Amino acid sequence: MNLPEKKSSFKHKGFIFRLFSMLLFLTIFCAEISPAFAAVEGTAVEEERQEDAVIMDFFSDHELVDATVRFEQPLENASLVFTLNSEEKLLKSETFPLGSVEKGQEVTKVLFWGIEEDFGKDRESYTVQVFVKNGNENLAFRELSFSDRNPILSKLKLVDFSADSEKASVLMSLTSPTNFGSIQLPEPGMIDLDLKLLSGTEIVYSEKQKNIPITNTYYNASYWPFLLENDKNYTALLEVHSHSPDVTAAYISNFKAEEKVEIIDRDIDVDEYGASVTIVGKSQVPFDGLVRVVLTPENGKGKIFEETTDILTSGKEDTVGIIWQGVPKGDYNVKIYVLNSEGEALDRHETVLRIFEPVVEASPVEKSPASIFLTVLGILLCAGILFVRKGK
C-alpha cells in the first residue's frame, strides 16, 4: 500500500526539478539577452542623435579647417567646435555659436589656425576634430589627421592662384608623365574646385565646380558677382580635390578691395577740337570719379579740362568727351588722368597734340527781349493747340 505513495512523491519531486531547471534556464537566458537589447536600444538612440546633424564636408591642413554641416532637425542653441591637437597637446580650440537653426539648413565655417609654431619640425602629425552641439549635447563628431609629409596633388601642379577686387583665377598643369611608346605624355587628371571668398571668418561667396578634366593646362577665372567694400580685407580660399589619388589641397590668396579702372588706349582720340576717352571698370568696388585732361604747351602754363564719368564696376565702360576752349595754336603735351573722388590717379595716358588754329573760348549768348517774347509766344501757341485738340 505504500508503493503508490512513493511513486506519487517521486513524480512530484521530478516535476519540481523540471520546473526549477526551466526557471533557471529562463533566468540565464534573460540575463544574456537584456544587455544585448540595451546595446541595440542605445545604438538606436545614438543613431537618432547623429541624424540631428550631418557633417557633409570636413577638411583641414596646417593653415585652416573647413566644415559643412546640414541640420536635420530645428535646434535652438547649435554650435560648432573645432580643436587642433598635436600628440597629446591641445594647440587650439574655437567655438562658433550658431543659435537657432532650421531643418535642412546648411552651415559652412572656416577657421584659420593662426599658430606660429613651425609645423613639420617639432611635430609631424596633427589631429583635428569637429563637434556639432546643441547646448552641451553632442550631435555629431568627426576627426581627421594630417601631416606635412602627406602626398599633395601628385599628378597636378598649381602654377598660380591669385585673387583681387575683380576676380579669382587659377592656373594648373599636369606633372606626371606616362610612357606611350617612345613618347612620354602627361597622365590626365580629374579634379573638383571649391572656391570661397571670406571676410574674416564669414563666407560671403562660394562656388563649386565638379569633374573638371585636366589634359594639359587648365585656366579658370571666377568674377565676383556682387559689390565689394572699399579698403576691406578679403581672403580667397581654393580647395582642389584630385580624384586619383584621392587628395585635397587648399590655397589662399589675400587682398584688399579697392577701386580700379583702366583707360582703353586704343579708344583714345585727341585732336584740335577736343578729346574722347574710354575707361573700363576693373573692380567690384564702384568707381565714382572723373577724367582730367591737361594740355601743357612747350612754354607756358597748362590748361585743365575735366568731365565726370558714370559709376563703373567690373566690365562696364564709359566714354567721356571733352571740348577745348580758349586754347591757342601750338604744340601741346597731353596728359590724361582718371581720378577717384579722393583725387587719387588710378590710371593715366600721355600723348602729344598740335593745334593749327586757336580755339576761341565759348561765351554765353545773351538773349534780346524780342527773342524772349517770341519764345514765350511759341509756348503759348503750342499750349493752345493741345488744348483745342483735347476739347475735340
Side-chain angles (χ1 to χ4, degrees), residues 94-235:
E94 189 81 18
T95 300
F96 288 91
L98 304 178
S100 299
V101 294
E102 300 177 354
K103 180 179 179 180
Q105 181 177 346
E106 292 187 8
V107 175
T108 300
K109 288 296 180 182
V110 176
L111 171 65
F112 296 95
W113 296 125
I115 296 177
E116 296 181 356
E117 91 167 72
D118 190 0
F119 283 87
K121 284 191 176 180
D122 298 334
R123 301 176 178 88
E124 294 183 350
S125 181
Y126 300 85
T127 302
V128 180
Q129 298 171 326
V130 57
F131 300 86
V132 185
K133 293 189 173 186
N134 185 36
N136 294 322
E137 180 185 10
N138 286 331
L139 303 181
F141 163 80
R142 279 183 66 178
E143 178 180 278
L144 61 81
S145 299
F146 67 87
S147 169
D148 279 355
R149 297 184 300 176
N150 288 342
I152 299 227
L153 301 180
S154 57
K155 292 183 182 180
L156 302 167
K157 178 183 179 182
L158 184 79
V159 180
D160 179 66
F161 172 63
S162 59
D164 56 24
S165 305
E166 182 181 30
K167 65 184 183 300
S169 58
V170 56
L171 177 63
M172 302 190 70
S173 64
L174 295 171
T175 58
S176 300
T178 56
N179 292 326
F180 185 75
S182 60
I183 303 175
Q184 284 191 334
L185 296 177
E187 184 177 351
M190 187 74 72
I191 62 171
D192 302 328
L193 295 181
D194 185 359
L195 174 66
K196 297 182 179 71
L197 181 65
L198 298 98
S199 174
T201 58
E202 180 186 359
I203 300 174
V204 295
Y205 178 71
S206 63
E207 174 185 306
K208 290 185 178 182
Q209 300 181 57
K210 297 287 187 180
N211 302 322
I212 303 172
I214 307 296
T215 57
N216 190 4
T217 300
Y218 173 78
Y219 173 78
N220 181 70
S222 297
Y223 291 82
W224 310 128
F226 57 94
L227 300 181
L228 303 181
E229 187 176 338
N230 193 28
D231 288 332
K232 191 170 186 178
N233 293 317
Y234 292 90
T235 299

Side-chain angles (χ1 to χ4, degrees), residues 356-372:
F356 294 95
E357 296 294 335
V359 181
V360 180
E361 186 169 357
S363 57
V365 178
E366 296 183 1
K367 293 186 177 181
S368 63
S371 63
I372 296 175

Side-chain angles (χ1 to χ4, degrees), residues 51-84:
E51 291 178 355
D52 290 343
V54 178
I55 301 174
M56 302 175 63
D57 292 309
F58 184 37
F59 168 79
S60 182
D61 62 9
H62 63 282
E63 288 190 291
L64 59 94
V65 60
D66 179 5
T68 299
V69 178
R70 185 181 70 241
F71 292 93
E72 302 296 341
Q73 301 294 337
L75 302 173
E76 295 298 328
N77 190 21
S79 63
L80 296 184
V81 180
F82 295 104
T83 63
L84 173 64

Side-chain angles (χ1 to χ4, degrees), residues 339-386:
L339 308 177
N340 61 12
S341 57
E342 297 177 355
E344 179 185 1
L346 303 184
D347 198 8
R348 64 182 63 196
H349 181 87
E350 191 169 346
T351 185
V352 291
L353 170 66
R354 173 169 292 171
I355 296 180
F356 294 95
E357 296 294 335
V359 181
V360 180
E361 186 169 357
S363 57
V365 178
E366 296 183 1
K367 293 186 177 181
S368 63
S371 63
I372 296 175
F373 173 76
L374 292 175
T375 302
V376 174
L377 181 61
I379 294 173
L380 292 175
L381 288 174
C382 291
I385 292 172
L386 290 174

